[in-house]
């Protein structure tokens, strides 16, 4: 193939490159043809982090820029380790390679409706049902042995300590209200005691959110039908994966919170667990409370960190 992918040194340059599909789609289709695959009906996925193209109805090509090569490593190792070990379908690797130093994966395309398209319209009982299934899925993933993921970077203790060091600066920059910033130092002081640093690690997907799973409807009942996007996988303390569904989906509704936690395996929600989850939410690698807490008016409903954790995890 004569077309080449560029050498990009920063995220802004990559975003600009990704936004102009005419620069890279011909290369992606050439990669598909080099593997003997049909490139006649491509579908470019505009959202997401990497270059992603649907090849017909059955395959997806993901091309990772070198500056996000860690995501390729994570995705490749995760798909290999989880294959055949879950009750829920995940993509399977069909082919892999590199082009001009950009690694890529060709994976199977899952059937179902994107969770973000369905979730807002679902009745409350269906939301609780799905959150229970999400809790069960998180627990199932975490029962899978680490395999190659045991060596993935960053390691949990180093990751957490780096997040703690940058936490105040991050949330100040993102505009967290001063009344919440006031309680941040106390919470960060408690964090090393609240969050196990050297407990046996488990697989952490990092983002159990509606954009990363598929749903299917059977006789009016919606269920999880697939899970994808493993580029942010790391290993560490299990509660970390409760944050995505807590922030984006549970929305402070007691029934939803209870369903998620019971599906995960927690019979009760005590003050220590709430405090740990609040600390982890602030330390998550994608943490941005102003954008991610899906409780209308939460900034007015809570006056400090303690009230905020009670609002997010009631009961």
């Amino acid at each position: 193939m004569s077309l080449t992918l560029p050498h990009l040194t920063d995220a802004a340059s990559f975003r600009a490159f990704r936004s102009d599909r005419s620069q890279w789609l011909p290369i992606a289709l050439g990669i598909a043809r080099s593997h003997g695959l049909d490139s006649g009906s491509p579908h470019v996925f505009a959202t997401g982090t990497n270059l992603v193209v649907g090849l017909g109805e059955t395959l997806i090509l993901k091309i990772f820029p070198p500056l996000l090569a860690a995501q390729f490593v994570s995705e490749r190792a995760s798909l290999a380790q989880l294959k055949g070990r879950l009750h829920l379908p995940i993509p399977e690797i069909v082919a892999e390679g590199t082009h001009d130093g950009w690694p890529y994966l060709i994976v199977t395309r899952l059937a179902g409706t994107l969770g973000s398209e369905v979730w807002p319209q679902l009745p409350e009982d269906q939301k609780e049902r799905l959150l229970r299934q999400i809790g069960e899925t998180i627990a199932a993933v975490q029962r899978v042995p680490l395999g190659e993921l045991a060596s993935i970077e960053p390691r949990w203790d180093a990751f957490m300590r780096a997040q703690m060091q940058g936490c105040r600066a991050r949330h100040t920059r993102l505009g967290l209200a001063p009344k919440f910033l006031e309680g941040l130092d106390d919470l960060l002081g408690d964090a090393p005691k609240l969050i196990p640093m050297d407990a046996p690690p488990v697989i952490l997907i990092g983002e159990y959110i509606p954009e990363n799973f598929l749903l299917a409807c059977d006789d009016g009942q919606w269920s999880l039908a697939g899970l994808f996007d493993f580029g942010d996988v790391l290993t560490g303390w299990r509660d970390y994966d409760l944050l995505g569904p807590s922030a984006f989906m549970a929305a402070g509704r007691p029934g939803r919170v209870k369903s998620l936690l019971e599906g995960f395996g927690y019979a009760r929600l005590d003050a220590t667990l709430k405090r740990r989850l609040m600390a982890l939410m602030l330390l998550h690698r994608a943490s941005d409370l102003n954008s991610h807490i899906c409780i209308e008016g939460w900034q007015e409903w809570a006056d400090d960190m303690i009230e905020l954790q009670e609002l997010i995890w009631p009961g």
Side-chain angles (χ1 to χ4, degrees):
M1 293 179 286
S2 58
L3 296 172
T4 59
L5 289 165
H7 175 66
L8 303 175
T9 58
D10 59 79
S13 298
F14 172 62
R15 286 194 296 268
F17 176 72
R18 185 185 63 191
S19 67
D20 183 1
R21 66 182 64 182
S22 67
Q23 294 190 73
W24 59 266
L25 183 56
I27 300 172
L29 299 182
I31 290 172
R33 288 191 294 270
S34 75
H35 288 277
L37 301 174
D38 180 17
S39 61
S41 302
H43 171 73
V44 174
F45 291 88
T47 59
T49 306
N50 300 287
L51 308 180
V52 184
V53 185
L55 304 173
E57 297 298 319
T58 60
L59 297 174
I60 286 179
L61 168 62
K62 296 184 70 171
I63 308 173
F64 302 75
L67 56 90
L68 296 178
Q71 290 200 0
F72 167 79
V73 173
S74 174
E75 181 112 11
R76 180 180 179 275
S78 299
L79 291 176
Q81 188 63 18
L82 294 172
K83 181 179 179 179
R85 290 186 162 104
L86 300 178
H87 65 285
L88 197 65
I90 62 171
E92 294 189 15
I93 298 173
V94 174
E96 61 182 273
T98 59
H99 184 78
D100 298 323
W102 292 49
Y104 63 83
L105 291 171
I106 299 173
V107 299
T108 55
R109 187 171 183 172
L110 304 177
T113 304
L114 193 64
S116 55
E117 297 177 5
V118 177
W119 179 259
Q121 291 79 39
L122 291 178
E124 195 64 20
D125 64 329
Q126 300 252 12
K127 288 181 175 178
E128 291 180 7
R129 167 188 166 89
L130 283 168
L131 278 164
R132 184 175 297 274
Q133 293 179 4
I134 290 170
E136 292 168 350
T137 298
I138 296 171
V141 169
Q142 295 183 358
R143 287 193 293 269
V144 175
L146 298 185
E148 289 185 20
L149 292 170
S151 60
I152 204 163
E153 297 289 346
R155 301 299 177 93
W156 178 250
D157 57 345
F159 170 66
M160 272 290 106
R161 296 189 194 287
Q163 294 300 100
M164 290 175 193
Q165 290 173 4
C167 185
R168 171 168 281 279
R170 176 188 182 88
H171 290 289
T172 300
R173 174 174 55 83
L174 292 172
L176 187 63
K179 64 181 179 180
F180 300 119
L181 287 173
E182 285 176 8
L184 195 56
D185 289 340
D186 286 343
L187 189 56
L188 289 174
D190 291 343
K193 300 185 289 289
L194 290 166
I195 302 168
M197 295 295 180
D198 55 2
V202 298
I203 297 173
L204 301 173
I205 303 299
E207 293 189 321
Y208 285 92
I209 57 177
E211 290 79 7
N212 289 348
F213 56 75
L214 297 168
L215 303 177
C217 187
D218 181 20
D219 195 25
Q221 294 289 313
W222 287 90
S223 299
L224 288 183
L227 182 67
F228 62 94
D229 194 350
F230 299 89
D232 291 318
V233 165
L234 58 130
T235 65
W237 180 247
R238 59 181 186 162
D239 292 357
Y240 185 82
D241 266 349
L242 292 170
L243 305 179
S246 291
F248 287 92
M249 304 174 72
R253 302 288 185 93
R256 296 190 204 176
V257 172
K258 183 173 183 287
S259 295
L260 171 65
L261 294 178
E262 286 183 352
F264 182 66
Y266 281 148
R268 59 190 296 266
L269 177 61
D270 60 21
T272 300
L273 178 56
K274 292 181 186 183
R275 185 85 166 154
R276 179 185 298 126
L277 290 172
M278 190 72 252
L280 285 168
M281 182 170 283
L282 288 157
L283 296 170
H284 193 283
R285 67 182 359 156
S287 182
D288 180 357
L289 271 59
N290 289 331
S291 298
H292 295 164
I293 296 178
C294 295
I295 302 174
E296 187 173 355
W298 64 267
Q299 292 94 335
E300 287 72 44
W301 284 103
D303 288 328
D304 55 35
M305 281 293 182
I306 299 296
E307 290 187 6
L308 181 56
Q309 72 189 36
E310 294 297 327
L311 189 64
I312 300 172
W313 296 282

